[in-house]
Amino acid sequence: MKKLKFDSYDGVCFLNGLVFFAPVALLVRTQAGVSEHIFFLLQALLSGVIFLGEIPTGFITDKIGYRKSLIWAQVLLFGARSLLLAAFVSRSLALFVVEAVVEGIAVCFTSGTGSAYLYDLYGENGYLVKTAHAENFGTAGFIISTVAYAGIYKISGMEGLLITTVVMDIIAVVCSFFLRSESSKTIIADRKEVQILAIFKNKKAFLFVISLAIFSIAWLLINFFYVVKLENCGLPVEWMSLIILIYSAVQMLAEPILGKLSDGKNGKSGRGKLPAVTAATAGVAFLLFGVVKFRSAVLLLMLILPLLLNLPEYLLMNLENQFVDEAECGSQRAATLSVLNMGVNLVEILTLSASAFLTKIGIQWCFVFVGCFLMVIALLFARIQK
């Protein structure tokens, strides 16, 4: 496996991972007078903006090119973080609302774009490893910000966390201007418009939408509700930061693992089985995490769950791009991927609205259900890869 060099895209991912207020993101709002109820409504608004903006921004991206779209995304993200700082300082609910809208538009410009950009530059063979490589830099940034946030918060409070993050966003904007340009074939103004929605005539499209939705729910459980499961097993809250740091570091193994798994030596048939095998493995891990009560087993599963979920997710993204080529929508790759991603946004809106119900039925059963769905997805992928 050829070792990848650090580039501007890696730098942008690293800087985007430096969100110093992330460990106390809820407190940014509540300390400014926003109730938890309003916080969930703001998150639902964010998901709603993403849902509505997916297709329009996808078409814009296909017109202006992936690189320019990624630059616009960084500029908008900087604007959103600046609005968040202003909203916190002024205790303004209106500014929190505007921030959610601007952040949603920023996400729209990156949704599908990063995947399309890397697929265009590195092709089918190099896409997987480069995606994991870039994500590792984002994870490294997250680890650094998680370690540093306590010191910054003690010295300069919440304002210090927000200001430091905004400074990182400014550097990210500058870094984005050094991104490599994609091939000129992706920016052709007079090309024939493709009927994007016709892609759903192919049953594979629905499989991708459903799969992306399940992955979205899985990450929601890991990011927000795993603490409940760990606390139920008697693990102290003080351990949570250490657990986050360790599982983030373990996640970085995705790059070398995918490099080995996707190596040409494994053969085309072996590589074709990887999405099903990795999705089944993640499904079993989620199911066990839901039912197991032994503290050591729960802790071990938690440390490897994000990595096990990352592997089939990256493989799914690669299959998505191959599917776009098969459907002859490569000239409008970003718009097509945005359409497929809309299912994710819809599920996020519904999940946020139903968050109270999730906690009532028991978080452990949520992990079990997701595990079962992942295994169903594995079976479906096994069938279509035959």
Side-chain angles (χ1 to χ4, degrees):
M1 181 182 69
K2 184 179 179 181
K3 189 173 182 180
L4 294 169
K5 295 181 179 180
F6 178 84
D7 60 17
S8 297
Y9 190 84
D10 297 329
V12 170
C13 290
F14 174 72
L15 291 163
N16 284 339
L18 293 172
V19 184
F20 293 92
F21 64 86
V24 287
L26 178 62
L27 294 180
V28 175
R29 279 80 174 181
T30 56
Q31 285 187 7
V34 174
S35 66
E36 291 185 7
H37 172 68
I38 297 298
F39 170 77
F40 279 108
L41 289 179
L42 288 171
Q43 293 302 110
L45 172 63
L46 173 64
S47 296
V49 171
I50 297 170
F51 178 76
L52 294 174
E54 280 277 12
I55 294 179
T57 53
F59 279 112
I60 291 172
T61 293
D62 284 322
K63 291 292 184 183
I64 66 176
Y66 306 144
R67 177 179 174 274
K68 289 181 181 178
S69 184
L70 291 172
I71 292 173
W72 270 110
Q74 290 304 134
V75 172
L76 287 166
L77 186 60
F78 161 65
R81 298 281 167 71
S82 299
L83 283 167
L84 186 63
L85 173 60
F88 177 80
V89 173
S90 64
R91 306 301 195 259
S92 171
L93 178 59
L95 283 179
F96 278 117
V97 171
V98 176
E99 183 275 330
V101 173
V102 175
E103 184 179 347
I105 298 172
V107 173
C108 286
F109 271 104
T110 58
S111 177
T113 305
S115 179
Y117 175 73
L118 293 181
Y119 194 81
D120 181 82
L121 287 179
Y122 292 88
E124 180 183 339
N125 293 328
Y127 170 82
L128 272 176
V129 177
K130 176 58 182 178
T131 300
H133 180 77
E135 287 292 329
N136 277 354
F137 280 97
T139 302
F142 173 75
I143 292 173
I144 290 172
S145 60
T146 301
V147 172
Y149 101 92
I152 297 173
Y153 185 70
K154 185 175 181 180
I155 295 171
S156 52
M158 194 68 73
E159 290 90 345
L161 295 174
L162 291 167
I163 291 171
T164 307
T165 303
V166 169
V167 171
M168 294 302 107
D169 287 325
I170 294 172
I171 300 172
V173 170
V174 175
C175 189
S176 68
F177 282 98
F178 293 93
L179 290 171
R180 287 169 54 191
S181 295
E182 67 270 27
S183 58
S184 58
K185 66 181 180 180
T186 62
I187 315 172
I188 305 174
D190 59 350
R191 62 179 171 235
K192 184 179 177 181
E193 292 294 329
V194 179
Q195 297 297 318
I196 299 296
L197 293 178
I199 200 170
F200 286 105
K201 291 180 180 179
N202 191 316
K203 293 181 180 179
K204 281 187 180 180
F206 291 99
L207 176 57
F208 285 120
V209 168
I210 294 169
S211 301
L212 287 166
I214 297 303
F215 278 106
S216 175
I217 296 173
W219 281 116
L220 188 73
L221 289 174
I222 287 177
N223 292 330
F224 290 96
F225 296 112
Y226 79 95
V227 175
V228 178
K229 173 68 178 181
L230 294 177
E231 284 184 325
N232 289 341
C233 291
L235 289 167
V237 176
E238 291 77 14
W239 284 27
M240 300 308 168
S241 294
L242 179 61
I243 291 171
I244 291 172
L245 292 174
I246 295 174
Y247 81 57
S248 296
V250 173
Q251 267 185 282
M252 299 176 78
L253 294 174
E255 180 186 354
I257 291 174
L258 286 172
K260 292 289 185 182
L261 293 177
S262 60
D263 196 293
K265 296 177 183 178
N266 295 319
K268 188 173 182 180
S269 60
R271 294 195 302 275
K273 296 176 183 177
L274 289 177
V277 172
T278 53
T281 304
V284 171
F286 264 82
L287 192 152
L288 289 175
F289 188 76
V291 298
V292 170
K293 295 182 180 179
F294 297 107
R295 183 186 299 184
S296 57
V298 170
L299 182 58
L300 176 62
L301 284 167
M302 186 61 232
L303 295 179
I304 62 174
L305 266 184
L307 171 64
L308 294 180
L309 190 61
N310 264 152
L311 295 176
E313 186 176 33
Y314 290 146
L315 291 162
L316 173 64
M317 290 162 63
N318 193 39
L319 286 176
E320 263 193 298
N321 279 288
Q322 293 176 29
F323 173 65
V324 171
D325 289 336
E326 292 171 10
E328 299 181 349
C329 294
S331 63
Q332 290 183 304
R333 188 177 303 276
T336 307
L337 291 175
S338 292
V339 170
L340 294 172
N341 287 341
M342 285 184 70
V344 180
N345 306 135
L346 181 59
V347 169
E348 284 182 350
I349 295 170
L350 296 174
T351 304
L352 286 165
S353 302
S355 57
F357 174 72
L358 282 173
T359 57
K360 284 182 180 179
I361 66 173
I363 293 303
Q364 69 274 17
W365 291 111
C366 296
F367 281 96
V368 170
F369 291 151
V370 166
C372 292
F373 277 120
L374 284 170
M375 285 187 277
V376 171
I377 289 171
L379 290 174
L380 292 173
F381 273 117
R383 289 191 62 182
I384 67 170
Q385 291 298 105
K386 286 184 179 180

